Each structure stands twice: as structure tokens, then as C-alpha cells.
Amino acid sequence: EAIVFTGDTNTTARAEQIHNYLLAKWKNIGQLELKARMYEKVYVASGAELNIAEKFGGNTQIKSVAGAGTINIGDVSGLESLDVVFDENGQASCLEFDSHVSFADAVNLVITAEDESKIKEGAYTVLNAAGISNVDLTRWTIEKPETSLRNYSVVYNDTTIKIRASALGTLLIVK
């Protein structure tokens, strides 16, 4: 089989179209199967950007995310694990999504700190998204450093997930 190209093929979108055509022709994999992408773990370094040029109508399933960069890959579903790192200055890593993020029924939040004594009491944004859904904090677990100096809790709204760090002891919030 020969495929003749009359234009530019050096784009992610064009390469994806060619790949989809060949899969559909030779392996009988239709477009519906190609729309969902699945990743076990995605790590985006601070200041880096994960960008898939063509956003698909389906959504992307990611089980675990970590880092402090930007993720531009369309809607994300099934997020089971979120890794947060506090750096040597006590600042938390924050992931940015350009789309909607839907969490799995149970989520594991893993907190790591280079120097936990530098973490000040307060709320730290650890995930920003265009929208957030399926957040049931009663089904979230928090893994913190073994000899932790802080209590951690999770708060969220329609577009952000934050970690609230507080001194050890009992925290009582009255509204």
C-alpha cells in the first residue's frame, strides 16, 4: 500500500489522522476506540507543558498525576492519585489543566516535603482546572510524611483543589 501526500505531514494532527486511518483499515479499530487515551502516570515538570495539539471528542483517562506544569490534553477522567511536593521553601507543586478534571470514586493524595518545617499554615493550591467534578472527600486518603509536623486536609471548589496545612492538634472549623 502506498499513501501519497500532497501537503505538509509534519503536524501532530496530520500524523494522528494517518495513524487512525491505518488502524481502522488494517486492524478494524474504529474511531470510538481511538478517542479515549489512557495513562497510568503523568508527570509534568515545573514550568513544562504537556500539549496534545488535537483534542479529541472523547476524554483522556489518567490514573495518577504529579509535577507542577501545565496539561493541555482535553477532558481528563478517572484521576485516582495526585502527588504534591512541597519544595525546600515550603511551596507546593501545582498542576494546571486547560480542561475539565473528573476524579475517580476513591483518590489517594500523596504529600512529600523536602523540609516540612518550612511549610506555613494556610491553604496551598495544588490543582487548577477549567472544571472539577466527582469530588467526594470522604473517599480521599492523604499520605503524608511519616514524621509529619503538620495536619493536612483537602478543600475544593469548581476549579481548584487546595491542601490546607495546619499545626498538629485538633482543628475545629465552625461556620
Side-chain angles (χ1 to χ4, degrees):
E1 175 173 343
I3 300 176
V4 178
F5 301 99
T6 58
D8 186 14
T9 61
N10 194 19
T11 65
T12 303
R14 186 67 176 142
E16 195 70 35
Q17 288 173 342
I18 295 164
H19 182 71
N20 290 349
Y21 166 78
L22 292 171
L23 283 175
K25 180 173 184 178
W26 294 106
K27 296 202 175 210
N28 271 338
I29 298 176
Q31 291 299 318
L32 290 177
E33 290 87 353
L34 295 172
K35 285 188 176 181
R37 293 177 178 240
M38 291 182 249
Y39 301 97
E40 281 295 316
K41 181 157 189 155
V42 172
Y43 174 83
V44 184
S46 180
E49 183 174 333
L50 172 62
N51 191 6
I52 296 178
E54 181 180 353
K55 295 180 183 166
F56 295 90
N59 70 31
T60 302
Q61 294 180 358
I62 299 176
K63 287 192 174 187
S64 176
V65 292
T70 302
I71 299 175
N72 297 314
I73 58 176
D75 290 346
V76 173
S77 68
L79 192 57
E80 296 175 358
S81 179
L82 175 60
D83 292 2
V84 176
V85 175
F86 283 90
D87 64 18
E88 68 277 355
N89 299 317
Q91 294 302 309
S93 58
C94 181
L95 285 163
E96 303 278 340
F97 287 83
D98 74 333
S99 58
H100 186 89
V101 175
S102 177
F103 286 90
D105 290 337
V107 177
N108 189 36
L109 178 70
V110 180
I111 298 173
T112 321
E114 291 186 32
D115 183 356
E116 200 178 19
S117 67
K118 300 280 176 125
I119 300 172
K120 294 186 168 102
E121 290 187 39
Y124 296 85
T125 301
V126 296
L127 188 141
N128 275 319
I132 295 174
S133 63
N134 199 36
V135 179
D136 179 358
L137 294 180
T138 64
R139 300 190 52 135
W140 282 45
T141 57
I142 299 176
E143 285 184 39
K144 58 185 180 178
E146 194 171 300
T147 56
S148 185
L149 303 171
R150 301 270 180 258
N151 282 326
Y152 298 98
S153 60
V154 179
V155 293
Y156 75 99
N157 64 29
D158 293 340
T159 60
T160 61
I161 300 285
K162 294 182 180 187
I163 292 177
R164 179 176 288 137
S166 59
L168 287 176
T170 303
L171 175 65
L172 179 63
I173 299 174
V174 179
K175 290 187 178 187

